[in-house]
Amino acid sequence: MSTDFPEFMNAKQVAEYLDLNEKKVYALANEGLLPCTKITGKWLFPKAMLDKWLLESCNNGVQNDRLLIAGSDDPLLQTIVGKMANQLGSTALVGYTSTGTRQGLAMLSKGHVDMCAIHWGNAEESGLRHPALLQQYPGHKNWVLIHAFERQQGLVVNPEVAQQFGDRELKPQDLLASRWRWALRQEGAGSMRALEEWLHNHAFNLSMLTKVDTCNSERELASAIARGQADVGCASQSTAGEFGLGFIPLCREAFELVIPKNIYFRTLQQQLLQQLEEMEIQVRGEQLGGYNFQRTGKQMWSAN
């Protein structure tokens, strides 16, 4: 057997390097379980990433001191991550970046992060929608879906607008009038999905709104409304509560966590899941508003 392997290997070289059948290498590549890329129809495998993949597969992984989270934005999850980071100090890295549901899943499928937070439609349909969404990404067969909580999704408005709705008994669809300035989220965010469905139910679409900003997180959207740069946007009740803004509910949604099976039992992953069930965290959720913790920690889906 040759011991001199190139920086980028083909499937035959990988089969020799890993002592696998070449057909098995192709199968793992097609399932997204091996680090690789396809150029003009040909698989290439970076040796450095293969070596890292091997180490990650040993004894529950070597990067037990890292938990990187991407995906959907949520104030309570931000609170948990901040608390963990403060407790761990310099002993581990815990990070959370709100990328929106779809970009977060794409990052998870490429191994850039260790966990992805998602929400994709109302809670009643999440049992079908979430698995169907996950199966669109390479590597989904190595994923498990854990329920974090339900939360209220709706329209975040400044207090003056909220007062008008309270005084005059206006309906949510009245906010579709052209005089209202909308802050929207980026494409692929779960709140954009919720907004598009609500608009569709009222024979509207995004192009008919008076858009003034595109925000990359719910907090950025709420900040734009709080500063008077926009009148309304779609986000969670907890985000509205965090900024002291008005809120008009549209639906309840399941907020869930996607975790690779091979790192599910790492200490940091389990600590985060345990934090979701802590009384202090759930009280904080009640203060922000809109949360339901009845199914917290329940496994919702796993590929066979």
Side-chain angles (χ1 to χ4, degrees):
M1 179 185 294
S2 171
T3 58
D4 186 18
F5 292 93
E7 182 180 355
F8 290 90
M9 295 185 277
N10 59 33
K12 182 177 181 181
Q13 291 165 327
V14 172
E16 182 181 359
Y17 187 62
L18 299 179
D19 195 19
L20 293 174
N21 183 286
E22 192 172 338
K23 289 185 178 179
K24 182 63 175 177
V25 171
Y26 282 117
L28 291 171
N30 284 316
E31 291 176 12
L33 299 179
L34 275 182
C36 56
T37 185
K38 205 171 197 179
I39 300 176
T40 63
K42 179 181 178 182
W43 287 110
L44 288 177
F45 302 80
K47 183 177 180 298
M49 293 188 69
L50 277 173
D51 290 338
K52 180 182 176 182
W53 175 80
L54 283 170
L55 290 172
E56 284 283 292
S57 302
C58 296
N59 298 319
N60 209 24
V62 294
Q63 292 189 344
N64 290 313
D65 59 350
R66 184 194 86 171
L67 174 56
L68 299 180
I69 308 167
S72 301
D73 193 13
D74 181 78
L76 195 60
L77 183 56
Q78 289 279 8
T79 297
I80 291 172
V81 170
K83 179 182 176 182
M84 287 181 63
N86 184 59
Q87 291 174 341
L88 292 164
S90 61
T91 63
L93 169 63
V94 181
Y96 176 27
T97 179
S98 62
T99 61
T101 291
R102 279 199 171 275
Q103 186 177 329
L105 288 172
M107 294 173 71
L108 185 68
S109 71
K110 295 180 179 179
H112 296 326
V113 294
D114 308 300
M115 185 183 294
C116 178
I118 70 169
H119 62 101
W120 205 247
N122 64 63
E124 292 78 10
E125 298 177 355
S126 62
L128 295 175
R129 286 193 183 196
H130 285 182
L133 177 64
L134 300 192
Q135 290 174 68
Q136 297 176 26
Y137 293 86
H140 70 270
K141 293 183 179 179
N142 184 42
W143 292 349
V144 61
L145 182 65
I146 304 297
H147 185 83
F149 39 73
E150 284 188 12
R151 65 179 195 173
Q152 191 76 50
Q153 181 80 355
L155 304 180
V156 178
V157 297
N158 66 44
E160 291 76 14
V161 174
Q163 187 174 8
Q164 290 184 44
F165 275 74
D167 293 344
R168 305 179 188 177
E169 297 184 355
L170 297 177
K171 298 177 181 179
Q173 52 266 38
D174 293 323
L175 284 168
L176 299 177
S178 60
R179 64 192 176 99
W180 301 112
R181 301 168 299 163
W182 282 79
L184 303 179
R185 288 291 308 282
Q186 76 272 34
E187 185 179 354
S191 57
M192 279 297 284
R193 169 79 178 213
L195 177 59
E196 288 174 327
E197 291 187 350
W198 178 70
L199 291 173
H200 177 76
N201 291 336
H202 291 89
F204 247 71
N205 59 57
L206 290 173
S207 66
M208 300 166 72
L209 299 178
T210 304
K211 170 187 167 183
V212 294
D213 200 1
T214 298
C215 304
N216 293 314
S217 70
E218 291 198 357
R219 283 177 162 180
E220 184 182 338
L221 181 147
S223 176
I225 296 172
R227 297 195 314 273
Q229 294 184 345
D231 300 310
V232 58
C234 187
S236 65
Q237 181 179 349
S238 53
T239 300
E242 188 177 33
F243 281 79
L245 298 172
F247 182 77
I248 302 170
L250 296 181
C251 69
R252 296 202 64 82
E253 61 182 12
F255 191 91
E256 296 179 332
L257 302 172
V258 187
I259 310 173
K261 296 176 185 176
N262 62 311
I263 60 174
Y264 176 77
F265 289 104
R266 285 186 186 171
T267 301
L268 294 179
Q269 274 79 341
Q270 291 301 307
Q271 283 181 0
L272 185 140
L273 295 178
Q274 291 166 11
Q275 286 283 338
L276 286 167
E277 302 187 49
E278 291 288 332
M279 181 61 68
E280 175 188 351
I281 294 298
Q282 296 193 2
V283 168
R284 173 62 174 162
E286 292 174 2
Q287 292 171 344
L288 291 170
Y291 288 104
N292 183 306
F293 299 97
Q294 287 186 349
R295 295 187 295 165
T296 295
K298 181 179 180 182
Q299 179 177 312
M300 306 306 295
W301 176 85
S302 177
N304 296 327

